[in-house]
């Protein structure tokens, strides 16, 4: 296909596709799927070889969130029967993190439910970061605590945080349909605060919430413009007891096309297969490794994931290798830009130079163009509620974590 040849050439040059080209990826047929995966795989291998970065989630505080994000099992009014507990102590969180590191995780992601942290919460998380870093040399720590107030990102960085996660989730145009207790602009502001403090920005999206192809393209270009170094691609887990419980809009094929579109738009960033991969990609997960270079190991915040041992076997069987702590994740040109920006007086500012780049001609783990014909929404697939398992082990329980 001329389209795919063009996208590969642009990806190898770190040049973004046009919006029309990105939309065309999502519109490809199932007959063309392997060609799409192969094309995205060429771009992935150029910048990341056959390495897979493992990330491990620790849910520091679960449930009882005052925000009304429709996709979230921890939201205000959620009837999902998830674990609910207040803050883990630093030593408890460090112990939970150690399980992931032992399983091969290079990054530990510390997540807490809530609108945003108090200064006391930031101090508590800072102590947790210090405890993890003392016990695990070379391991990265990413914090995900919600909306940040002035000065909090700087304090997290001083405590040793390497990155901050705050997903854009969906397009600006449809954000108000998903959440009403805060705005899309609030989320952008927090990502910018993290950048300004010299933290690497981790910001992604959630697919499967009833969005159009244009919404998906909009949010991925927005993440590119923000300079997100890591883009987690979540696939909605339709928890019973949440407003989106009936949204089963994804097929494994559509998930692969979405991942490929993200890779073409952000060719040299860490693209992470995040929550919902087991539910929606299912037996096609190994194919997705040809597009994405990063996954979460084991369980998620409130749902159980594939066994950690199965994750490692899948990576090996597909011909990939786990990325070690001594290997930089980002290509050298991006890593240099991040380090230079972080070292600059006043932090990294807009961070645009270290991002996927500004769109030439246009162009995010705890995620608008116009003028195109909006395609029909994909037909709903069979609801696989049997694949949605509430987490009952690991952090906040007396049972061993899955890592």
């Amino acid at each position: 296909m001329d389209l795919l040849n063009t996208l590969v050439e642009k990806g190898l040059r770190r040049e973004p596709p046009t919006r029309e080209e990105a939309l065309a990826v999502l519109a490809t047929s199932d007959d063309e799927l392997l060609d799409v995966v192969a094309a995205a795989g060429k771009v992935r291998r150029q910048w990341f070889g056959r390495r897979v970065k493992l990330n491990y989630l620790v849910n520091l505080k679960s449930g009882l969130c005052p925000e009304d994000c429709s996709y979230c099992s921890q939201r205000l009014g959620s009837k999902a029967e998830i674990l609910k507990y207040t803050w883990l102590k630093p030593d408890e969180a460090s112990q939970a993190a150690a399980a992931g590191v032992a399983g091969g995780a290079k990054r530990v992601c510390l997540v807490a439910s809530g609108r945003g942290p108090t200064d006391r919460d930031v101090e508590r998380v800072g102590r947790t970061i210090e405890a993890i870093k003392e016990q695990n040399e070379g391991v990265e720590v990413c914090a995900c605590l919600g909306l940040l107030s002035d000065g909090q990102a700087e304090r997290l960085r001083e405590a040793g945080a390497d990155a901050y996660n705050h997903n854009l989730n969906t397009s600006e145009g449809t954000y108000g349909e998903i959440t009403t207790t805060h705005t899309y602009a609030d989320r952008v502001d927090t990502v910018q605060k993290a950048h300004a403090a010299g933290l690497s920005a981790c910001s992604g999206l959630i697919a499967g919430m009833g969005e159009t192809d244009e919404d998906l393209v909009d949010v991925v270009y927005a993440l590119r413009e923000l300079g997100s170094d890591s883009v987690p691609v979540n696939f909605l887990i339709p928890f019973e007891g949440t407003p989106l419980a009936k949204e089963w809009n994804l097929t494994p094929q559509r998930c692969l096309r979405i991942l490929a579109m993200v890779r073409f738009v952000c060719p040299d960033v860490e693209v992470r297969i995040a929550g919902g991969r087991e539910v929606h990609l299912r037996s096609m997960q190994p194919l997705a490794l040809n597009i994405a270079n990063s996954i979460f190991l084991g369980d998620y915040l409130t749902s159980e994931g594939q066994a950690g041992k199965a994750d490692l076997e899948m990576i090996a069987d597909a011909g990939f290798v786990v990325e070690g702590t001594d290997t930089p994740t980002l290509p050298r040109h991006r890593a240099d830009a991040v380090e230079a920006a972080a070292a600059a007086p006043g932090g990294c500012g807009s961070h645009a130079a270290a991002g996927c780049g500004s769109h030439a001609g246009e162009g995010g783990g705890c995620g608008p163009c116009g003028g195109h014909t909006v395609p029909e929404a994909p037909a709903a697939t069979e609801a696989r509620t049997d694949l949605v398992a509430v987490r009952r082990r690991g952090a906040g329980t007396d049972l061993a974590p899955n890592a």
Side-chain angles (χ1 to χ4, degrees):
M1 290 176 66
D2 289 342
L3 168 67
L4 296 179
N5 290 334
T6 297
L7 291 172
V8 170
E9 290 171 3
K10 286 186 173 183
L12 299 184
R13 297 195 302 264
R14 292 187 283 139
E15 178 185 339
T18 64
R19 289 180 183 271
E20 289 77 12
E21 289 167 341
L23 285 164
V25 173
L26 297 178
T28 53
S29 69
D30 287 350
D31 288 342
E32 300 164 313
L33 183 64
L34 289 180
D35 295 327
V36 172
V37 172
K42 289 180 182 178
V43 179
R44 181 242 201 270
R45 289 193 300 277
Q46 168 72 16
W47 303 114
F48 300 97
R50 300 192 69 80
R51 306 189 311 276
V52 177
K53 181 178 181 177
L54 298 182
N55 309 268
Y56 189 69
L57 285 166
V58 178
N59 197 350
L60 298 177
K61 181 166 73 78
S62 182
L64 306 174
C65 182
E67 303 299 287
D68 70 353
C69 306
S70 300
Y71 53 81
C72 186
S73 60
Q74 304 184 76
R75 73 187 295 273
L76 177 69
S78 170
K79 293 181 172 55
E81 297 181 355
I82 61 169
L83 291 170
K84 297 181 178 69
Y85 53 86
T86 190
W87 289 95
L88 297 182
K89 295 177 181 177
D91 61 329
E92 294 173 324
S94 180
Q95 210 170 16
V101 174
K106 178 178 179 176
R107 172 175 288 189
V108 173
C109 306
L110 301 176
V111 188
S113 63
R115 179 178 177 83
T118 64
D119 288 342
R120 181 182 177 187
D121 294 336
V122 170
E123 291 177 9
R124 186 197 323 260
V125 174
R127 292 196 298 273
T128 300
I129 294 169
E130 290 168 0
I132 291 171
K133 293 253 180 174
E134 284 175 6
Q135 297 176 24
N136 303 283
E137 184 178 354
V139 168
E140 301 170 359
V141 176
C142 178
C144 177
L145 312 174
L147 301 173
L148 292 175
S149 300
D150 291 344
Q152 291 183 329
E154 286 79 4
R155 289 197 287 279
L156 288 168
R157 186 184 175 205
E158 288 168 4
D162 300 284
Y164 195 82
N165 167 261
H166 200 59
N167 296 329
L168 296 187
N169 291 327
T170 192
S171 69
E172 182 175 13
T174 59
Y175 195 84
E177 299 172 19
I178 299 298
T179 304
T180 67
T181 48
H182 61 266
T183 67
Y184 180 91
D186 290 332
R187 286 187 172 262
V188 170
D189 177 67
T190 284
V191 177
Q192 290 173 336
K193 280 185 169 71
H195 273 159
L199 293 169
S200 176
C202 174
S203 188
L205 64 138
I206 304 173
M209 298 191 291
E211 70 282 337
T212 66
D213 283 2
E214 289 204 355
D215 289 321
L216 288 170
V217 169
D218 288 347
V219 69
V220 176
Y221 278 120
L223 292 166
R224 180 185 173 89
E225 287 294 304
L226 272 177
S228 183
D229 297 314
S230 175
V231 178
V233 181
N234 295 278
F235 302 109
L236 177 71
I237 301 177
F239 273 97
E240 288 296 330
T242 65
L244 298 184
K246 306 304 179 187
E247 293 286 342
W248 289 86
N249 304 312
L250 298 171
T251 64
Q253 294 82 3
R254 180 161 173 79
C255 292
L256 289 169
R257 284 190 282 269
I258 291 168
L259 287 167
M261 184 271 288
V262 175
R263 173 56 72 201
F264 290 131
V265 175
C266 293
D268 58 346
V269 308
E270 176 189 343
V271 176
R272 185 182 310 164
I273 318 171
R277 65 179 164 94
E278 299 89 345
V279 177
H280 297 293
L281 278 164
R282 301 191 287 276
S283 62
M284 304 283 267
Q285 290 181 68
L287 266 184
L289 293 176
N290 288 279
I291 305 171
N293 63 297
S294 178
I295 66 170
F296 279 111
L297 175 73
D299 293 333
Y300 303 99
L301 297 176
T302 61
S303 64
E304 292 188 351
Q306 185 167 282
K309 183 174 183 289
D311 287 336
L312 297 175
E313 289 174 349
M314 174 181 72
I315 291 167
D317 289 347
F320 293 89
V321 295
V322 173
E323 183 175 288
T325 56
D326 58 344
T327 302
T329 298
L330 296 176
R332 189 68 258 168
H333 64 271
R334 283 188 61 85
D336 287 346
V338 172
E339 291 170 7
C348 58
S350 69
H351 199 64
C356 333
S358 59
H359 189 300
E362 130 175 15
C366 262
C369 97
H372 303 294
T373 300
V374 178
E376 292 183 8
T381 60
E382 178 188 355
R384 290 298 306 273
T385 56
D386 59 306
L387 295 177
V388 179
V390 173
R391 181 174 68 84
R392 301 295 184 199
R393 61 196 174 199
T397 77
D398 294 327
L399 299 178
N402 171 26

